[in-house]
Amino acid sequence: MGGRGRSRTQRKHFRQSRENVWKRPKSDDSQNPENSSNSTPDDINDSRVNRDPGWQPFATQNTGFDEYYKEQEIVSPEEWDAFIQYLRKPLPAAFRINSSSQFYMDIRRQLENDFTISLQAEDTDGSEVAAIKPLPWYPNNLAWHSNFSRNQLRKNQTLERFHEFLKLENETGNITRQEAVSMVPPLFLDVHPHHFVLDMCAAPGSKTFQLLEMIHQLTEMGTLPSGMVIANDLDVQRCNLLIHQTKRMCTSNLIVTNHEAQHFPSCHLHSHINNSETGNSKEPGISQLQFDRVLCDVPCSGDGTLRKAPDIWRKWNAGMGNGLHGLQVQIAMRGISLLKVGGRMIYSTCSMNPIENEAVVAEILRRCEGSIELMDVSSELSQLIRRPGLKKWKVRDKGVWFTSYKDVPKYRRSVVTSGMFPSGKTYEETSEHNHETVTAELFENGKESSGNELQLIDNPMAPTHSLEAEVSTLPLERCMRIVPHDQNTGAFFIAVFHKLSPLSVTQKKPVSLPRKMDSSNAQAEKSKNEGKEDSDGVEIDSTRGTEGQLSEATIDADTLENGIGEAALDADSNIVSEENEKEEAQPSPDTKNGAEVVRGKRKLQIQGKWRGVDPVLFYRDDTVIDSIMEFYGIKDSFPFKGHLITRNIDNNHVKRIYYISKSVKEVLELNLLSGQHLKIASVGLKMFERQTSKEGATAPCLFRISSEGLPLVLPHITKQILYASAVDFKHLLQYKIIKFSDFVNPEFGEKASKLMLGCCVVVLRRDDNVLSDDQQVDASTVAIGCWRGRTNVAVMVTAIDCQELLERLSSLMATETVLMQENSSSQLETDKVAYKNDSELKEDIKTLTPATLG
């Protein structure tokens, strides 16, 4: 294994521990009922039992689930059977075209004119393959939906070509495989290219990818938007998943951080700070880190993903939602505090539980006291079928229904809080002592004999103190609920907030969750089930519920809004991380220049107060930077110096140089000046890589242009560029290494031999008939990075990118051939008409006489 086992991005981080229960054994034949788009889970389970009598499928039912949601009335009694029937079916596959991709129009055209027609034809011929179709509510036909599951895509021979197409385009970043309802929240954020956006719970990254597309929309090639995205997630392994997903975007406008969302740090500039840390004599562009848009897609019980994670059926219980309510409120409140006045925040979950949805929204509105409003977005995305939020609901705890907080016994009020109820009212004392005694007896008698504290108690006759549920006076009908049977999707909840003013002066903020609760576990196990990673729904321990709300601390809202007093602002973070701070914040005696010397071992990297994290340093080696600019002829108009960073403190051993946008640069400068509160896992676009081969060490420039950075820097370089015909370009992709003398166009080989040794860029010439190399670079330009060796040109592109470009090139050449044939046919018809007209004219001339001429 060598050093591969120690990599921070090991493949095991991307695996899922949950078995895919819809996946059948490889030995199954193609006639298996699982291949049919019309098969139900019962059909699939029966076929498996016949093949393997010892195999036991997950039960797609839960009596506690049925009772709970019938009582909450999330759908009408008439719809219940259809609702449950859809929940038991596998979730159809969905994917989204990356609108910032160079080939997004070609991909959309291929879907519309090739796969849609061919699959429809197969369906007409009697196969059980349904047609794919665009989602009607997603703009510009960029999101597509199929009526077969991902397992059917993998196993059905008829769909093999389509499945291979999806895999290839997903790997290269041209499409993102994402659940349809998961695409909805970013659409309501109304993101523009100049916005600063925070994605608080971002992993696995499908929504972050979507936000980056919106930031980059309308951006010309070689330019960058003035906005940026910060994607945060608590768990380190999920951060790796997030980085793996977003790196396909090839953006310099992204920072990935690793924090508890409810304690996401605020960076603001203190007047006494010296700017020498960043090497700048002037103030950074921003003095406080605030956001125009915040996506708050919180950890939840995930029962809206039952169609994708059917193992949730056997794990589900009402305590899952109760246990996460407090954490969800804290995360949402932190998001609002980081939101600019006039900004917009989305609160969303993949849960159907009103305790995680409307109850959280109501509590946020009450705490903010008019500083925010719940927006009515019913006129937006009119083709999206959605239902209004609930105005009333009940709370269930240990098998007992409560309709009001006054009914909750004192010894359960640390778990069942007043904020879970529609009114949000608190009561000093419970009603009567006898009610307390009766309720206690119900808890005692209702427990299962197995001793499992999480098991729901199926006792629908359990009495409650109040008969009717409270009705909220807040405009919760403005929330949106998406249910499975409306448009064959998963379930989702969305609320859109608009910040009207700074938070009130006496805003209260809950003290952080105690260590015994360990909220990180709940957040790290967040169930989102989106994108290619197939995250799974998980069981949340209800005993870790809302113990974080045992006490509250009052802070000044002006401090929260205006950044006065860093200690007060991050007091909650200091409480939670007190033990870690003692270990991490204090550099050891052997620490020097951001690295701790460990005797006999590799140096431990330090990023500010974060030990074991690679530092983020502005790269200021002018000798190397000047050599790069000279070698590639980078124009002075391109903002280059001051926009390069590295993750290594030793300039002599820098392997990669990253490029950052102006907005990211401002955030990094602010973070350095404010004490490096941000724990940065990934930042910037990898633009240059050190060439470590023996031949590379002798080249005039040690750094080559990476594939990720080429589209950005290409319009700004004037040297080391070659323009190839379609034939030579195709041969390079096919054979990877070609000698100068073996190119079809000898002039191309001669020009290649005259370049300096080192990295070069080969651009596909648009018109083979035009031999001039003066070609304008735009969004349609196709180029690859290569290495000009002593006798040859070698491609420096991954195999998957070569495959994708070859298919694009073949498609392009085929299209040009068809157009040429059509033009030839058209010209032939024109010539025939001209010839016919000429013949008729000659006949007319013959009939002319002097009389007619006179």
Side-chain angles (χ1 to χ4, degrees):
M1 291 293 292
R4 292 175 60 88
R6 296 190 297 270
S7 171
R8 289 178 303 152
T9 55
Q10 300 175 55
R11 266 293 165 189
K12 68 179 183 181
H13 290 170
F14 307 132
R15 296 181 193 149
Q16 300 298 323
S17 59
R18 179 185 61 82
E19 178 188 3
N20 185 349
V21 296
W22 300 122
K23 188 174 181 179
R24 66 184 176 87
K26 293 182 179 179
S27 59
D28 293 348
D29 57 79
S30 60
Q31 302 300 320
N32 192 282
E34 297 176 42
N35 282 343
S36 172
S37 60
N38 298 323
S39 296
T40 65
D42 291 337
D43 296 333
I44 296 173
N45 292 341
D46 290 343
S47 66
R48 288 181 177 178
V49 171
N50 291 336
R51 294 191 309 273
D52 182 7
W55 184 83
Q56 294 295 326
F58 284 134
T60 55
Q61 60 184 5
N62 183 313
T63 55
F65 176 92
D66 293 352
E67 179 200 336
Y68 183 83
Y69 281 119
K70 281 182 179 179
E71 186 70 20
Q72 299 287 22
E73 298 179 352
I74 61 169
V75 297
S76 65
E78 294 78 17
E79 296 178 274
W80 182 260
D81 290 341
F83 168 71
I84 287 294
Q85 183 181 2
Y86 269 85
L87 278 180
R88 291 174 179 169
K89 292 181 179 180
L91 184 70
F95 59 92
R96 181 173 45 77
I97 304 172
N98 178 5
S99 59
S100 63
S101 166
Q102 182 180 13
F103 304 113
Y104 85 93
M105 295 184 68
D106 293 336
I107 295 170
R108 183 175 60 186
R109 192 180 303 114
Q110 190 173 358
L111 289 168
E112 292 172 341
N113 301 331
D114 182 3
F115 289 112
T116 301
I117 296 174
S118 63
L119 294 180
Q120 282 179 341
E122 289 162 1
D123 185 48
T124 304
D125 292 340
S127 73
E128 295 181 346
V129 179
I132 61 170
K133 58 184 179 181
L135 292 170
W137 44 266
Y138 202 95
N140 303 320
N141 278 10
L142 291 177
W144 288 70
H145 172 90
S146 64
N147 288 325
F148 32 78
S149 68
R150 294 184 67 175
N151 185 58
Q152 291 162 349
L153 278 176
R154 287 191 294 266
K155 300 302 180 181
N156 195 305
Q157 296 297 320
T158 313
L159 299 171
E160 184 177 0
R161 186 171 74 93
F162 180 58
H163 183 232
E164 291 300 320
F165 164 81
L166 290 181
K167 287 199 302 183
L168 176 62
E169 301 302 339
N170 183 73
E171 282 291 325
T172 54
N174 291 328
I175 69 168
T176 298
R177 302 177 78 166
Q178 182 179 1
E179 187 178 345
V181 289
S182 175
M183 305 175 192
V184 176
L187 297 178
F188 285 107
L189 263 184
D190 189 30
V191 175
H192 295 276
H194 65 277
H195 282 159
F196 277 50
V197 185
L198 172 63
D199 190 350
M200 300 188 74
C201 309
S206 297
K207 296 184 187 68
T208 304
F209 202 102
Q210 203 172 346
L211 294 171
L212 287 168
E213 290 179 35
M214 296 174 179
I215 288 289
H216 282 274
Q217 64 184 348
L218 306 178
T219 302
E220 297 180 359
M221 186 174 183
T223 63
L224 293 172
S226 56
M228 54 96 63
V229 175
I230 292 184
N232 176 72
D233 202 85
L234 165 66
D235 187 76
V236 174
Q237 293 183 5
R238 288 177 64 84
C239 268
N240 287 331
L241 196 71
L242 171 62
I243 295 167
H244 176 76
Q245 175 84 307
T246 55
K247 74 177 182 181
R248 302 176 303 128
M249 183 68 186
C250 300
T251 177
S252 60
N253 294 64
L254 172 68
I255 299 177
V256 178
T257 59
N258 181 210
H259 292 280
E260 289 184 326
Q262 70 271 30
H263 304 136
F264 190 87
S266 175
C267 303
H268 43 83
L269 186 63
H270 299 289
S271 58
H272 64 276
I273 295 295
N274 192 332
N275 289 342
S276 60
E277 294 184 45
T278 63
N280 292 334
S281 59
K282 61 180 182 179
E283 295 286 328
I286 54 176
S287 59
Q288 184 177 356
L289 185 57
Q290 288 188 311
F291 300 90
D292 302 281
R293 299 289 186 266
V294 174
L295 177 58
C296 187
D297 188 46
V298 298
C300 64
S301 59
D303 57 18
T305 65
L306 281 165
R307 301 184 67 180
K308 193 168 188 178
D311 54 324
I312 296 178
W313 280 107
R314 63 183 174 88
K315 300 177 180 180
W316 187 94
N317 63 79
M320 295 166 69
N322 295 350
L324 286 168
H325 172 85
L327 176 63
Q328 292 163 341
V329 172
Q330 288 188 46
I331 293 174
M333 287 301 298
R334 187 58 182 153
I336 290 171
S337 71
L338 294 167
L339 186 66
K340 294 179 182 178
V341 173
R344 183 181 288 198
M345 185 183 90
I346 295 286
Y347 175 84
S348 63
T349 74
C350 54
S351 169
M352 296 178 282
N353 195 336
I355 307 302
E356 302 176 71
N357 297 334
E358 287 87 354
V360 174
V361 172
E363 180 65 9
I364 293 168
L365 292 172
R366 287 190 290 264
R367 291 191 184 191
C368 292
E369 300 175 348
S371 296
I372 63 168
E373 68 171 343
L374 187 59
M375 296 183 64
D376 181 3
V377 290
S378 57
S379 60
E380 301 179 24
L381 300 182
S382 57
Q383 290 185 289
L384 174 68
I385 303 174
R386 85 290 297 268
R387 301 189 179 201
L390 303 178
K391 297 278 285 187
K392 63 177 183 178
W393 61 88
K394 302 175 184 178
V395 179
R396 180 163 176 149
D397 179 49
K398 298 295 184 180
V400 179
W401 286 104
F402 297 105
T403 57
S404 174
Y405 184 62
K406 66 182 179 182
D407 300 335
V408 181
K410 285 184 178 179
Y411 63 89
R412 295 302 297 170
R413 290 192 175 187
S414 62
V415 177
V416 180
T417 62
S418 60
M420 295 181 180
F421 293 88
S423 69
K425 293 180 180 179
T426 58
Y427 299 87
E428 293 298 327
E429 296 181 358
T430 53
S431 55
E432 296 179 1
H433 177 73
N434 61 346
H435 166 66
E436 185 97 8
T437 304
V438 170
T439 308
E441 290 177 356
L442 284 172
F443 276 107
E444 186 67 27
N445 296 331
K447 292 182 181 178
E448 291 291 322
S449 58
S450 63
N452 185 358
E453 297 295 330
L454 297 181
Q455 181 66 36
L456 265 181
I457 306 163
D458 299 320
N459 185 10
M461 301 305 294
T464 58
H465 191 266
S466 304
L467 296 178
E468 291 296 327
E470 293 177 343
V471 179
S472 176
T473 58
L474 298 169
L476 299 179
E477 68 279 359
R478 296 179 182 176
C479 301
M480 292 171 282
R481 281 181 166 268
I482 300 175
V483 294
H485 59 291
D486 278 345
Q487 46 207 340
N488 196 15
T489 62
F492 223 80
F493 175 87
I494 304 162
V496 186
F497 293 101
H498 177 228
K499 191 168 185 178
L500 302 174
S501 63
L503 299 182
S504 61
V505 176
T506 57
Q507 183 65 38
K508 289 187 176 182
K509 187 176 183 181
V511 170
S512 62
L513 304 172
R515 283 207 174 271
K516 65 178 179 178
M517 173 183 174
D518 192 9
S519 66
S520 63
N521 291 343
Q523 196 169 345
E525 295 294 338
K526 172 187 172 189
S527 167
K528 286 292 103 184
N529 285 283
E530 58 183 336
K532 72 173 214 176
E533 292 80 19
D534 251 350
S535 336
D536 306 319
V538 296
E539 180 177 10
I540 304 298
D541 187 348
S542 64
T543 61
R544 290 193 258 133
T546 53
E547 296 178 15
Q549 292 185 329
L550 291 176
S551 60
E552 294 185 338
T554 302
I555 64 170
D556 192 308
D558 288 339
T559 299
L560 192 66
E561 290 293 330
N562 301 321
I564 303 172
E566 183 73 20
L569 182 66
D570 293 321
D572 53 341
S573 181
N574 292 335
I575 293 172
V576 164
S577 307
E578 184 176 355
E579 295 179 9
N580 288 343
E581 289 295 311
K582 293 179 181 179
E583 298 176 1
E584 297 178 350
Q586 301 296 331
S588 67
D590 294 330
T591 299
K592 183 178 179 181
N593 296 329
E596 181 180 344
V597 179
V598 182
R599 295 179 181 177
K601 295 183 180 180
R602 182 184 174 187
K603 292 181 180 180
L604 179 65
Q605 298 285 5
I606 297 178
Q607 181 190 120
K609 64 181 180 181
W610 310 107
R611 298 179 64 187
V613 182
D614 292 339
V616 178
L617 304 171
F618 283 92
Y619 190 67
R620 304 191 185 281
D621 189 332
D622 290 335
T623 303
V624 175
I625 294 175
D626 290 341
S627 70
I628 292 174
M629 294 187 69
E630 173 62 26
F631 184 77
Y632 295 107
I634 297 177
K635 302 175 183 176
D636 293 334
S637 59
F638 181 58
F640 193 67
K641 290 188 176 182
H643 289 260
L644 303 178
I645 63 168
T646 181
R647 306 301 298 269
N648 193 332
I649 62 170
D650 186 356
N651 281 347
N652 295 325
H653 294 87
V654 169
K655 294 182 179 179
R656 301 173 188 87
I657 300 176
Y658 299 87
Y659 185 87
I660 55 174
S661 66
K662 180 176 181 292
S663 53
V664 171
K665 177 185 176 184
E666 291 174 347
V667 172
L668 292 183
E669 289 174 344
L670 175 63
N671 183 50
L672 287 172
L673 292 174
S674 62
Q676 298 197 56
H677 292 286
L678 291 177
K679 184 180 179 182
I680 298 174
S682 175
V683 59
L685 170 66
K686 185 173 68 175
M687 183 164 283
F688 300 104
E689 286 189 279
R690 183 185 293 270
Q691 190 66 17
T692 56
S693 65
K694 184 177 180 180
E695 187 177 67
T698 62
C701 181
L702 299 178
F703 288 88
R704 63 180 179 87
I705 301 175
S706 70
S707 297
E708 296 96 320
L710 180 58
L712 177 60
V713 76
L714 179 59
H716 306 285
I717 62 176
T718 57
K719 299 179 181 178
Q720 296 293 106
I721 303 177
L722 294 169
Y723 294 86
S725 65
V727 174
D728 282 330
F729 196 87
K730 185 176 180 180
H731 285 175
L732 272 172
L733 294 174
Q734 287 176 329
Y735 304 117
K736 306 299 188 297
I737 300 176
I738 299 181
K739 291 184 178 180
F740 299 143
S741 58
D742 291 341
F743 285 104
V744 174
N745 183 359
E747 184 181 350
F748 178 83
E750 182 181 350
K751 289 183 178 180
S753 65
K754 293 180 180 179
L755 291 180
M756 286 189 288
L757 179 70
C759 177
C760 65
V761 178
V762 177
V763 178
L764 174 63
R765 184 181 286 123
R766 291 195 187 95
D767 190 347
D768 286 347
N769 297 323
V770 179
L771 300 180
S772 173
D773 288 346
D774 186 15
Q775 179 174 308
Q776 185 68 30
V777 175
D778 56 27
S780 64
T781 301
V782 179
I784 56 174
C786 295
W787 184 264
R788 187 277 193 195
R790 301 190 185 281
T791 61
N792 55 48
V793 175
V795 174
M796 306 193 77
V797 179
T798 63
I800 192 74
D801 286 335
C802 282
Q803 182 184 350
E804 200 267 344
L805 281 172
L806 275 171
E807 294 199 5
R808 291 276 152 242
L809 190 60
S810 299
S811 176
L812 179 65
M813 294 174 70
T815 302
E816 289 180 350
T817 302
V818 171
L819 290 175
M820 290 177 61
Q821 291 175 349
E822 290 178 351
N823 290 336
S824 299
S825 300
S826 176
Q827 184 63 42
L828 181 60
E829 291 297 326
T830 302
D831 292 343
K832 286 181 179 179
V833 171
Y835 177 78
K836 180 180 179 181
N837 292 339
D838 187 51
S839 300
E840 291 176 350
L841 178 62
K842 290 179 179 179
E843 291 296 327
D844 290 340
I845 291 175
K846 289 180 181 179
T847 61
L848 293 178
T849 63
T852 56
L853 289 174

